[in-house]
Amino acid sequence: TSVLCFPGVSNEALLFLLSARGVYATMGGGQFQKLSHVLTLCGIEKNVAQGALSFTLSYETTQQQIDTAAEILVDCYKQL
């Protein structure tokens, strides 16, 4: 599991675009605090923390899946 920050972008908007293209992540919430809140408390600038998403890989995740997801992620980030 990794947390990546995308400065200047709303994590909700990025999450929406990613899920529409088959890449799934989380921004926290529910029973847990949102990632942006936790990162802000840790001293991360608010405009950086608000673009935080968490991604999880498994031993079954292939390099091709990672490469494809990275390309989609970059496209969506540029779009926003």
Side-chain angles (χ1 to χ4, degrees), residues 34-56:
K34 290 189 175 184
L35 291 173
S36 59
H37 179 70
V38 173
L39 292 173
T40 302
L41 291 175
C42 291
I44 303 298
E45 293 179 27
K46 189 174 182 178
N47 75 319
V48 174
Q50 288 179 336
L53 291 177
S54 177
F55 297 86
T56 302

Side-chain angles (χ1 to χ4, degrees), residues 6 18 23 55 63-77:
F6 304 91
L18 289 172
V23 176
F55 297 86
Q63 185 64 50
Q64 179 61 41
Q65 289 171 318
I66 294 169
D67 293 343
T68 300
E71 289 176 15
I72 292 169
L73 184 53
V74 169
D75 287 344
C76 291
Y77 182 55

